[in-house]
Amino acid sequence: MRHVGFIMDGNGRWARRRGKSRTSGHQAGAETVRRVVRHAVRLGIPYLTLYAFSTENWSRPRLEVEALMSLMERFLGSETPGLVERGVRLAAIGDLARLPAKVLKALDRARDATAGGAGTVLTLALSYGGRDELVRAARRAAECLAAAGKPPHALTAEAIGANLDTAGMPDPDLIVRTAGERRLSNFLIWQAAYAELYWSDKTWPEFTEDDFDLALADYSVRVRKYGGPDPAGIDTGTK
Ligand code: IPE
Ligand code: IPE
Ligand code: MG
């Protein structure tokens, strides 16, 4: 297990069920982020990627977007010392140029402060959309080809992968989504080609270390075949 991704969903539902504001749901979700990151570090998981804000989430009401952005800014500031202490290196993927200047600044500070971390790489997917990432990667790859005087059919999957925001990271082995929804919602759509998927009915604020362990236990008994023959070698295909 090298890389686990989380689609952190259900903050709004958690809040609504308690008669609270969506903002307080996002605040409660931030607590789960803290728990999950600490647990991943304890387990020695090399890469942890959290889907925090999608390209589509920009279409939410302005007040909710603003609340999420200021929560992000505060969270980055308050969490950085703990990340440094735990040897976590912070990274970010997505169309970061769309983020408010304050968030970008907090993100840059956190990335600089944690740059020496040799433990878990924590990647925040912020203003992230898999299609947006693919388009940007394809454009860059095409520019490289053109600059080298090569034709379009010289484009390879490796060249696209190398131009994705996740270049250099292993593909996710496991993607966990909370709140009972069973879809990727534009998360790592290229990289998830052979990811194992796990759906938890808990909302993100309710998700605990034990729930994380359940997801990992479920993953550990999956048989990954990548389109090849059954690794157990017992399926003769004649039945
Ligand atoms: C996840 O919770 C947080 C973000 C997508 C930013 P939601 O806000 O999507 O919560 P629900 O889906 O409305 O319950
Ligand atoms: C996916 O959750 C995005 C994040 C977790 C950041 P959404 O709540 O935005 O996804 P949909 O709208 O239910 O597909
Ligand atoms: Mg949602």
Side-chain angles (χ1 to χ4, degrees):
M1 164 71 70
R2 288 194 297 168
H3 185 180
V4 186
F6 279 94
I7 302 174
M8 311 186 285
D9 198 16
N11 295 350
R13 275 162 280 177
W14 179 90
R16 196 181 55 228
R17 285 176 201 149
R18 287 161 180 76
K20 295 183 175 184
S21 66
R22 290 183 63 84
T23 303
S24 69
H26 296 313
Q27 275 161 359
E31 288 300 318
T32 304
V33 171
R34 192 173 290 134
R35 279 202 298 275
V36 163
V37 170
R38 287 181 188 185
H39 201 52
V41 170
R42 267 195 301 274
L43 296 170
I45 293 172
Y47 292 88
L48 175 70
T49 300
L50 304 178
Y51 200 9
F53 193 87
S54 73
T55 45
E56 289 73 31
N57 289 153
W58 289 114
S59 69
R60 293 195 180 190
R62 188 177 56 87
L63 285 178
E64 183 177 354
V65 171
E66 283 176 6
L68 275 165
M69 290 299 147
S70 77
L71 178 63
M72 206 77 73
E73 184 195 343
R74 274 181 285 126
F75 190 77
L76 285 166
S78 65
E79 290 309 298
T80 298
L83 296 179
V84 173
E85 202 177 296
R86 289 174 176 78
V88 174
R89 180 160 65 80
L90 188 77
I93 55 172
D95 184 6
L96 305 178
R98 285 183 79 179
L99 294 171
K102 280 178 166 176
V103 176
L104 211 43
K105 203 166 142 192
L107 182 62
D108 282 337
R109 280 208 186 121
R111 284 194 288 193
D112 286 349
T114 63
T120 299
V121 177
L122 168 62
T123 302
L124 299 180
L126 282 174
S127 185
Y128 175 87
R131 287 185 174 180
D132 171 70
E133 180 194 33
L134 260 173
V135 169
R136 288 186 286 105
R139 282 185 191 143
R140 279 197 293 267
E143 279 163 12
C144 286
L145 286 183
K150 291 183 181 164
H153 73 251
L155 182 64
T156 60
E158 287 72 27
I160 291 184
N163 282 285
L164 291 170
D165 297 347
T166 53
M169 277 169 61
D171 285 341
D173 299 295
L174 171 67
I175 291 178
V176 177
R177 183 168 185 150
T178 57
E181 240 59 75
R182 299 184 173 203
R183 55 178 171 262
L184 288 176
S185 299
N186 211 5
F187 183 53
L188 300 178
I189 51 174
W190 173 281
Q191 300 88 334
Y194 272 98
E196 297 296 325
L197 308 176
Y198 180 87
W199 318 111
S200 169
D201 286 330
K202 295 264 190 92
T203 62
W204 181 249
E206 293 168 321
F207 193 81
T208 64
E209 290 88 341
D210 286 347
D211 295 313
F212 195 163
D213 288 339
L214 282 177
L216 294 171
D218 192 273
Y219 169 81
S220 73
V221 295
R222 307 262 183 114
V223 179
R224 303 183 74 186
K225 302 201 282 187
Y226 301 99
D230 191 317
I234 47 172
D235 182 1
T236 58
T238 51
K239 213 163 92 185

